[in-house]
Structures are given as C-alpha cells and as structure tokens.
C-alpha cells in the first residue's frame, strides 16, 4: 500500500449491516431499509474523500486465527437462506487488494497476532449488502478480515490497535455487524431490551471517556439486556475492532432507529 502522509487520518466505522441481501429486495421490503440505506450512502460525504481501499471486518466470517482475504477479484458467498432466488445471483464487483492483504498480515505480525491468508474467500453479505449502499459503483477495492473464533473482546480490541496505522495510509476500516442480533426475538418484543442495550452503547461508546469505553466493551456482557440482544456476540465484536483502531479518539452515533423493521433499536458509530 502507498502511504499518504499528507492526507488527514481517516475515521473508523461500525455499521449495522441489515438482514441478508436487502439492497436487492426493495420490492419485498418496501421502505423498511430507507433510513439505514441513507445513513450508509452518506458515509462517503462524511469521510470527505474516496479512500484508496476499504478493510471490512464482517460478523459473518470467523477463523481460528485472524484471516485476511487475498484474492484480487473475490467472488460471492451467499451466506443466507430463505430469500428470493434472484438474491443468490447478485454481484458486488469491487476489486480485492493483495497489497492491502499483505500489509494487514505485516501489521498483525508486528503486533504478535497470529494471522493467515485465504486466497479463495469471497465477499459475504456483511460486506456486500452495506457496500452496495455505501459505494454502489463498487469503485473502491475492498478486503475482508475475519473475526477470531472465541470472540474475545480483548483480542479484537488488540486487532483494531494493530490495524490503526492503515488510517494514515488512506484505508477506511469498517466493522460490520448489528447492535442487536437475536433472530428469535426480532419483532416488537425486541424493543424494550434493545433500547436498554442501545442506550448503554451510546453512553459507553460516545459519552464515556476512552479508558472507560474500552473497559465497558471488555465487560459488555454485564450491560443491560446484553445477552438478550446478543445470545452470541459475533455481530457485536466488529465494534471492538473499530474502537481499537481509534481507541483514544471521540466517537459519534451516525445512525439510529428505535424500531428497525418494526423491532429493535439499532445504531451505527463513527470514531475519529
């Protein structure tokens, strides 16, 4: 990767990526995703320039060690079920970046974090659904980076710290998950617990000083309604990576809905 020392440091995002291949389902979903789509589409304006590349940490990829996508032209992983047939033929045509993949491996190696390369891994919907809204022309190369099995918050905060230099190299880091992910309780019954947890996230990520933010995320499972909102935390853990990459910097909430799809409160955050 080419280093751009004269450019301002890029922010970092944690985004709620929605359900399945929603950008290709407007006929089925109506306007249910309009607010999320608008928030994602506004990110290029917020960033202020087109980055050289994007590093995406998606909730939908876990490996035994942090693993980076190495293909120059990744394919598609249709990692969902029960959606219309046409959604199993959608394509998001961004290029990969073997150079960025190697840079990520170098940074993780320097930080003492074991890492691997997967030359055949394609894009999953935690990447291609939000990216269709952020950069519909797919003009920015995107590389995915896996979570590490076990989903320890400390390991993923450390991952973010290791990746932080990319922000000075014109690489936009995006953690892609959901602030609420209990698919067995996604309707109106999600409103009360998700509001408790979403209020805690706002207080912890945006309002608390950085050391308290880090400690709060390490202890996230003690937050109000935490396990009701995340019976399994893979959709929350990308937030840890985002915070680690901007650990001492202020955060803002850049998207929020009280009743997403008629159910939970959900939010997106920007750091730096």
């Amino acid at each position: 990767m080419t280093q751009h020392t004269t450019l301002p440091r890029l922010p970092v995002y944690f985004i709620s990526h929605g359900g399945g291949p929603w950008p290709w389902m407007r006929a089925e979903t109506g306007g249910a995703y309009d607010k999320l789509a608008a928030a994602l589409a506004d990110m290029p304006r917020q960033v202020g320039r087109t980055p050289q590349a994007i590093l995406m940490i998606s909730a939908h990829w876990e490996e035994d060690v942090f693993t980076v996508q190495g293909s120059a032209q990744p394919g598609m992983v249709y990692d969902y079920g029960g959606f219309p047939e046409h959604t199993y033929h959608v394509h998001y045509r961004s290029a990969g970046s073997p150079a960025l993949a190697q840079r990520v491996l170098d940074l993780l190696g320097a930080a003492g974090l074991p890492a691997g390369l997967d030359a055949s891994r394609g894009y999953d919907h935690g990447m291609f659904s939000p990216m269709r809204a952020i950069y519909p022309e797919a003009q920015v190369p995107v590389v995915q980076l896996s979570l590490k099995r076990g989903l320890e918050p400390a390991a993923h905060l450390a991952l973010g710290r290791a990746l932080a230099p990319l922000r000075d190299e014109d690489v936009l880091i995006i953690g892609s998950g959901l602030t609420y992910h209990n698919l067995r309780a996604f309707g109106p019954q999600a409103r009360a617990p998700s509001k408790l947890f979403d209020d805690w996230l706002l207080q912890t990520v945006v309002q608390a000083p950085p050391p308290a933010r880090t400690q709060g995320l390490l202890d996230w499972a003690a937050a109000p309604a935490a396990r009701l909102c995340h019976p399994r935390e893979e959709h929350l853990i990308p937030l840890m990576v985002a915070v680690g990459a901007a650990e001492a910097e202020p955060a803002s909430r850049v998207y929020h809905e009280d009743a997403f799809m008629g159910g939970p409160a959900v939010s997106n955050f920007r750091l730096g």
Side-chain angles (χ1 to χ4, degrees):
M1 297 295 296
T2 305
Q3 191 153 354
H4 295 264
T5 55
T6 59
L7 291 172
R9 167 175 281 195
L10 287 171
V12 183
Y13 284 86
F14 171 79
I15 60 172
S16 292
H17 61 229
W22 60 267
W24 290 271
M25 294 176 57
R26 183 63 191 266
E28 291 85 359
T29 61
Y33 279 94
D34 285 357
K35 193 169 181 181
L36 176 60
L40 296 173
D42 192 51
M43 285 170 56
R45 182 198 63 79
Q46 295 172 23
V47 172
R49 66 177 189 268
T50 302
Q52 182 175 339
I54 291 171
L55 182 67
M56 174 78 78
I57 300 92
S58 165
H60 290 276
W61 187 18
E62 298 174 40
E63 297 287 353
D64 289 336
V65 299
F66 296 121
T67 302
V68 64
Q69 184 182 53
S71 173
Q73 195 65 58
M76 302 286 283
V77 178
Y78 303 113
D79 57 337
Y80 40 77
F83 287 92
E85 174 62 23
H86 71 87
T87 65
Y88 298 90
H89 305 279
V90 302
H91 288 277
Y92 186 79
R93 301 285 188 184
S94 64
S97 174
L100 175 55
Q102 185 57 54
R103 177 68 175 136
V104 170
L105 288 175
D106 292 344
L107 287 170
L108 299 193
L113 298 175
L117 182 75
D118 188 330
S120 61
R121 167 79 185 190
Y123 293 133
D124 61 58
H125 80 268
M127 177 277 187
F128 61 75
S129 289
M131 286 303 304
R132 174 68 180 262
I134 299 167
Y135 286 112
E137 302 302 316
Q139 70 270 41
V140 180
V142 184
V143 171
Q144 282 195 229
L145 175 63
S146 79
L147 303 177
K148 182 182 178 183
R149 288 196 180 101
L151 303 176
E152 295 99 341
H156 291 82
L157 283 158
L159 173 64
R161 293 180 195 119
L163 297 172
L166 295 174
R167 299 174 56 206
D168 296 313
E169 299 169 20
D170 210 26
V171 176
L172 182 63
I173 299 170
I174 302 175
S176 175
L178 273 170
T179 52
Y180 178 92
H181 197 257
N182 183 345
L183 297 183
R184 295 188 177 194
F186 208 84
Q189 70 268 41
R191 290 183 187 176
S194 67
K195 184 182 188 316
L196 288 172
F197 188 70
D198 203 82
D199 287 350
W200 177 86
L201 279 176
L202 178 65
Q203 180 181 4
T204 301
V205 176
V206 176
Q207 298 167 354
R213 175 172 64 199
T214 297
Q215 190 58 52
L217 291 176
L218 287 169
D219 298 331
W220 76 271
R227 282 297 179 188
L228 284 170
C229 297
H230 293 279
R232 191 175 186 275
E233 57 265 42
E234 79 284 348
H235 275 71
L236 182 67
I237 291 296
L239 174 62
M240 315 297 176
V241 186
V243 169
E247 197 164 18
E249 296 176 54
S252 59
R253 187 168 71 178
V254 291
Y255 157 78
H256 174 75
E257 290 192 58
D258 287 322
F260 176 65
M261 302 285 287
V266 295
S267 295
N268 293 358
F269 299 97
R270 168 187 161 132
L271 296 106

